[in-house]
Amino acid sequence: MGGDAWKLDNTQLMAETLAVSAEIHTWQVHRVDLMIEMIERDTVKEHGYRSPAHWLCAATNLEIGECHRIETLARLLRLEPEVREAYSSGLLDAEKARQIAYFCQHYPRTMNPCDFEKARTILIDHASDKVATKATVRALIRRLEHLYNTGDGPPPGEDSSRNELFVSTTWHGRVVIKGEFDAVTGARLRHLLSPLAAPRPEVNGIKDDRPASKRTADAFDQLLQFVEAAGLVPVEGGVKPHVTVTASIKDLTTNTAVKELFTHSPEHGYATELWAGPLSIDAARMLACDCQVTRILLDEHGVPLAHGRTHRTATAQRRALAVRDGGCAFPGCSTPPAWADAHHLTHWVDGGDTDLDNLVMLCGHHHRLMHHTQWEVEMTDERRPQFIPPASVDVFRKPIPGSRPDLVA
């Protein structure tokens, strides 16, 4: 139809929209069915992907969060045929099917099989009503959990096993936080935020005009700064938690002499942070005002210069590896540097040096893949990692370029 939508009258336009929506649901159901089959066969394992979600993300333009939601739904519906049937027939959308299937896998221990069958039917019938929402389905689930809470284990409000926290990066590097905690953990958080979120004292008769949501957000920022300053957070990936900003020297400085000294250095007009992504140069300069600076000189390909070491483990090289690889370098993997290992291309016991040209960042899954399968990794002429699949994946074993950070892409 495309650009011919203008030819439709109002009735036809509405009917076509509903028809397309039904068709989209049909294909979404088919995708979940295919995902279930992939899970049962463990299809993507030999291709180097830790899960079908990671494969789907690498093979499409879908974000990893959306791919995880698709895989989670498939895994739940694989175990709940009744909910799967309701989803396939169009009675449930993906989100309500996920809620009900999750409940069916985690229903109260005091609920006998007969009551469980009734509860599942009630939930499906309620969620099938067009006026039902995620919130009303969630409320009904909570009522069922409360009804069957007889003191066997903690009440739902105090059950820490159900705690969840999602932190995701959205447009412009902004971060969305969504979570649910038990009452005790929630109380701890609120007590810590409360004194920091209080309205500022009046100054010259001017009151603090920040809304409560803004005061709480500012308080959370202060709380993070206090934790960082206290140094109470454990080491991760060999280094203390820190903010790492990568930028061109010509972007960071306004000094004309420095710009002339690095005449061949690129100017990107932005910096990058490993978790946040692109940052403005102004933000990078602000962070550089009060920090410890580690200077890493890059070559013309954006690769840090090698730093030979006599130690087996990569310590000082981790920062340079993070700049070059941006996390796990395996194609399509989004594991950040703090969660990745430094892998020797030529193993240490075989005489391999702990130099950048003999190191690559890999997550735990892909690190094991390199050690226990026929996958191989090598450096290109531009000193960047590329991966060679086994013949079972590609009979010609054509090298696949590794992931690389945005700043030097």
Side-chain angles (χ1 to χ4, degrees), residues 324-325 329-331 345 359-360 362 370 375-389 397-403:
R324 188 193 70 189
D325 296 344
F330 192 88
L345 277 65
L359 293 171
V360 61
L362 295 174
M370 294 300 135
W375 276 89
E376 298 176 11
V377 57
E378 64 181 16
M379 286 294 169
T380 67
D381 293 339
E382 295 182 348
R383 302 172 59 219
R384 288 193 171 278
Q386 65 179 4
F387 295 80
I388 304 173
R397 305 200 69 191
K398 182 179 178 181
I400 305 171
S403 300

Side-chain angles (χ1 to χ4, degrees), residues 93-122:
D93 65 6
E95 188 58 38
K96 297 187 187 73
R98 185 182 295 108
Q99 284 180 294
I100 296 173
Y102 183 85
F103 168 80
C104 291
Q105 287 294 303
H106 302 84
Y107 63 89
R109 294 185 291 268
T110 56
M111 183 178 285
N112 61 54
C114 182
D115 287 346
F116 167 70
E117 296 285 345
K118 292 179 181 178
R120 182 176 57 201
T121 300
I122 291 171

Side-chain angles (χ1 to χ4, degrees), residues 92-358:
L92 303 177
D93 65 6
E95 188 58 38
K96 297 187 187 73
R98 185 182 295 108
Q99 284 180 294
I100 296 173
Y102 183 85
F103 168 80
C104 291
Q105 287 294 303
H106 302 84
Y107 63 89
R109 294 185 291 268
T110 56
M111 183 178 285
N112 61 54
C114 182
D115 287 346
F116 167 70
E117 296 285 345
K118 292 179 181 178
R120 182 176 57 201
T121 300
I122 291 171
L123 284 170
I124 292 175
D125 289 345
H126 172 76
S128 301
D129 195 322
K130 286 186 171 56
V131 299
T133 65
K134 291 192 301 181
T136 61
V137 174
R138 187 184 304 115
L140 182 53
I141 289 174
R142 293 292 183 264
R143 288 179 61 187
L144 287 169
E145 291 172 335
H146 180 74
L147 179 64
Y148 283 89
N149 175 40
T150 60
D152 183 14
E158 300 172 16
D159 187 357
S160 61
S161 67
R162 297 166 57 171
N163 290 359
E164 294 179 322
L165 182 65
F166 302 95
V167 182
S168 56
T169 304
T170 62
W171 292 103
H172 310 298
R174 296 190 65 81
V175 173
V176 171
I177 301 175
K178 179 182 178 182
E180 181 181 353
F181 297 98
D182 62 274
V184 176
T185 303
R188 285 196 182 103
L189 178 61
R190 295 175 76 98
H191 279 295
L192 288 171
L193 291 176
S194 180
L196 302 174
R200 299 191 190 102
E202 290 188 25
V203 178
N204 297 326
I206 300 176
K207 295 183 179 180
D208 185 354
D209 61 354
R210 295 175 300 162
S213 58
K214 181 66 170 69
R215 297 201 311 269
T216 304
D218 292 343
F220 189 70
D221 179 38
Q222 283 186 274
L223 184 62
L224 296 179
Q225 293 181 47
F226 290 155
V227 173
E228 289 175 341
L232 300 177
V233 182
V235 168
E236 182 181 48
V239 294
K240 283 284 189 180
H242 61 282
V243 174
T244 300
V245 177
T246 305
S248 161
I249 184 64
K250 291 178 71 176
D251 282 328
L252 278 180
T253 184
T254 58
N255 188 305
T256 304
V258 173
K259 288 181 178 291
E260 291 177 352
L261 180 63
F262 294 92
T263 53
H264 299 293
S265 177
E267 287 188 88
H268 301 284
Y270 64 94
T272 59
E273 204 283 321
L274 298 174
W275 281 107
L279 294 173
S280 69
I281 293 300
D282 288 338
R285 288 172 177 166
M286 178 193 70
L287 291 171
C289 287
D290 182 20
C291 68
Q292 292 182 346
V293 177
T294 300
R295 295 178 178 84
I296 301 176
L297 185 62
L298 309 183
D299 65 13
E300 66 273 19
H301 302 299
V303 178
L305 297 178
H307 296 280
R309 289 294 182 270
T310 58
H311 302 289
R312 177 178 181 275
T313 56
T315 52
Q317 295 93 329
R318 283 196 65 93
R319 292 178 186 268
L321 276 175
V323 171
R324 188 193 70 189
D325 296 344
C328 179
F330 192 88
C333 188
S334 58
T335 300
W339 299 351
D341 303 325
H343 167 70
H344 288 75
L345 277 65
T346 300
H347 300 314
W348 174 261
V349 295
D350 297 328
D353 294 329
T354 305
D355 292 335
L356 283 180
D357 287 343
N358 192 46

